[in-house]
Amino acid sequence: VTMPDELVENGAAPKHPAVAQLPESERKRILVTGGAGFVGSHLVDRLMTQGHEVIVLDNMFTGRKKNVQHWIGHPHFQLIIHDVVEPIMLEIDQIYHLACPASPPHYQYNPIKTIKTSTQGTLNMLGLAKRTGARMLLTSTSEVYGDPEEHPQRETYWGHVNQLGPRACYDEGKRVAETMMYAYHAQGGLEVRVARIFNTFGPRMHPNDGRVVSNFIIQALQGKDMTIYGDGSQTRSFQYVDDLVDGLVMLMNSNYHLPVNIGNPEEFSVKQFATLIKDLTGSASRIAHLPATQDDPHKRKPDIALAKRELGWEPRVHVHDGLAHTIAFFKGVLKSGEIVPTG
Ligand code: NAD
Ligand code: UDP
Ligand code: UDP
């Protein structure tokens, strides 16, 4: 989806990207919580393009109006500024429940709020799903596996989370959110889907959300030191956002109701990843080592056999290609003069 050339000017009707014309019987009313965020806005683009009606609920904590600006005024689209911690009455057919800060600096900024969002927020969406009979998908995370002792991680692994550490507000919040999904399924007959998402990157990542992909790219483009936390031997496996959106939509519309890993198994050490981004940007930045962060998982890589078998899904975008798109996006952000504090 590309941005319209001109937005509203002199009261003229705004232009929007094209959407498919679905017959009324196939058009769904779909709620996307957190739809103004990074992943959410790409999901909204996909659902709108398919011809569905989309309602975004977002409190704009880390979301930005400009991520969905190109849909504002479209008859199929509605943006509601609302905090999921508060109840809400809507009539919908499906819920993609993404609302939750996702990067460590953002979710640790106000841990109590992060916990409320994953618990009370998820409870409200489950209550809404129960009342309307909507199917609900939760975006859970590879963080439910904590600092894993099984590698790669399969869905059957119970995880290794420090419930008292700085990451716990996020990890334990998502773990109990999963528990609530299956309690409502068992007790209330709700149709539930749970995606355990592994590290995802792409355009519209928040420039200062502190994640490794955005930090390294911005630092490299600005010629600043690239900050590795610890010795850089820890690993992550990075997936491009388009692949994730494919996986979320395929999971929602599948018949499989247990948790499914959605991630790209291509694994890098953080040190290798810094060198890769330095090469792709042609940067002269130096590598700087900062202290390791507490409870940083040592390794992470999804086993995606289940997604392949149950959904027929697997990633299609090579990490290098996804990084090229993302680097181009951040070049645009820097050119536009948006203030970007780093490190
Ligand atoms: P993001 O921070 O860009 O998006 C989260 C969105 O939720 C933002 O628009 C934010 O304003 C909104 N939000 C937060 N708290 C809210 C509240 N109380 N009420 C209403 N809206 C609220 O992050 P993202 O990367 O797009 O992540 C989306 C989802 O995917 C999250 O649930 C996250 O846990 C999950 N996830 C993401 C990744 C990843 O690598 N990006 C990995 C695992 C899981
Ligand atoms: N809820 C909501 N919208 C609805 C239905 C429910 O926000 O359309 C909230 C409701 O306020 C409650 C939560 O969802 O806090 C759980 O609802 P449920 O009906 O499961 O539980 P109860 O209201 O009986 O505690
Ligand atoms: N990281 C890093 N430098 C940065 C940001 C992150 O070395 O500027 C490391 C971080 O310690 C972790 C990995 O990169 O080992 C991924 O961090 P991110 O915050 O992107 O995601 P998460 O820890 O949630 O997987």
Side-chain angles (χ1 to χ4, degrees):
V1 174
T2 49
M3 291 287 286
D5 303 326
E6 311 151 30
L7 289 169
V8 198
E9 217 181 327
N10 304 326
K15 287 184 186 173
H16 300 106
V19 303
Q21 293 302 316
L22 276 185
E24 194 89 9
S25 57
E26 286 172 37
R27 193 195 301 162
K28 292 194 160 60
R29 285 174 64 88
I30 305 178
L31 176 64
V32 181
T33 75
F38 159 53
V39 174
S41 64
H42 287 281
L43 176 63
V44 167
D45 287 348
R46 177 71 58 87
L47 299 172
M48 283 293 295
T49 306
Q50 287 179 343
H52 296 292
E53 291 179 34
V54 175
I55 302 174
V56 167
L57 269 196
D58 204 297
N59 72 349
M60 297 295 172
F61 174 48
T62 52
R64 296 183 295 172
K65 197 173 176 187
K66 70 174 167 198
N67 289 342
V68 292
Q69 185 71 47
H70 46 291
W71 296 116
I72 289 176
H74 193 287
H76 290 177
F77 180 79
Q78 212 179 332
L79 170 64
I80 305 177
I81 310 292
H82 177 85
D83 195 309
V84 291
V85 170
E86 303 298 331
I88 188 163
M89 299 285 265
L90 296 164
E91 305 310 317
I92 68 278
D93 303 310
Q94 289 185 342
I95 304 174
Y96 287 89
H97 179 42
L98 280 69
C100 184
S103 83
H106 282 154
Y107 69 65
Q108 291 173 23
Y109 170 76
N110 184 346
I112 296 173
K113 179 68 195 207
T114 301
I115 293 166
K116 285 184 184 170
T117 295
S118 273
T119 56
Q120 187 62 52
T122 301
L123 189 76
N124 285 336
M125 292 307 107
L126 282 163
L128 175 62
K130 191 175 78 176
R131 187 180 58 73
T132 56
R135 182 181 287 184
M136 173 164 160
L137 181 149
L138 169 75
T139 52
S140 185
T141 167
S142 53
E143 286 279 322
V144 300
Y145 302 126
D147 189 4
E149 292 160 309
E150 172 180 312
H151 194 75
Q153 294 80 50
R154 283 173 301 186
E155 290 83 351
T156 46
Y157 179 50
W158 288 1
H160 181 225
V161 173
N162 173 8
Q163 79 273 31
L164 302 180
R167 303 175 82 99
C169 58
Y170 182 72
D171 300 10
E172 296 289 9
K174 290 287 190 179
R175 285 170 66 95
V176 78
E178 287 195 7
T179 308
M180 288 192 286
M181 295 287 284
Y182 293 102
Y184 270 76
H185 170 71
Q187 222 178 311
L190 237 73
E191 287 200 66
V192 298
R193 304 287 182 266
V194 172
R196 289 188 182 148
I197 302 171
F198 285 66
N199 296 62
T200 303
F201 69 95
R204 302 189 194 149
M205 289 184 91
H206 203 298
N208 53 13
D209 83 358
R211 280 186 264 202
V212 71
V213 180
S214 41
N215 274 8
F216 281 180
I217 292 177
I218 292 166
Q219 290 162 345
L221 290 176
Q222 293 187 324
K224 294 187 176 166
D225 286 359
M226 298 172 75
T227 54
I228 292 182
Y229 303 156
D231 65 6
S233 64
Q234 70 269 37
T235 72
R236 293 293 186 275
S237 306
F238 296 98
Q239 112 181 290
Y240 189 61
V241 66
D242 287 0
D243 283 330
L244 171 58
V245 169
D246 286 346
L248 294 177
V249 173
M250 288 167 92
L251 175 60
M252 174 65 103
N253 297 304
S254 77
N255 289 318
Y256 190 78
H257 78 283
L258 292 171
V260 182
N261 289 340
I262 305 284
N264 187 333
E266 226 184 312
E267 184 182 11
F268 299 83
S269 71
V270 166
K271 206 190 305 179
Q272 284 174 329
F273 200 62
T275 309
L276 174 61
I277 289 181
K278 192 168 136 64
D279 291 347
L280 289 176
T281 51
S283 170
S285 287
R286 290 176 314 179
I287 304 284
H289 286 269
L290 298 183
T293 60
Q294 194 192 326
D295 295 343
D296 197 0
H298 288 90
K299 49 193 184 304
R300 180 182 293 156
K301 171 182 173 163
D303 181 316
I304 58 167
L306 187 66
K308 281 185 187 163
R309 189 174 72 236
E310 292 295 334
L311 312 180
W313 175 89
E314 60 183 316
R316 292 183 300 188
V317 182
H318 194 279
V319 172
H320 288 68
D321 298 328
L323 283 174
H325 292 302
T326 311
I327 289 166
F329 166 79
F330 279 116
K331 279 185 180 163
V333 170
L334 290 174
K335 218 171 156 185
S336 77
E338 197 176 320
I339 314 273
V340 182
T342 52

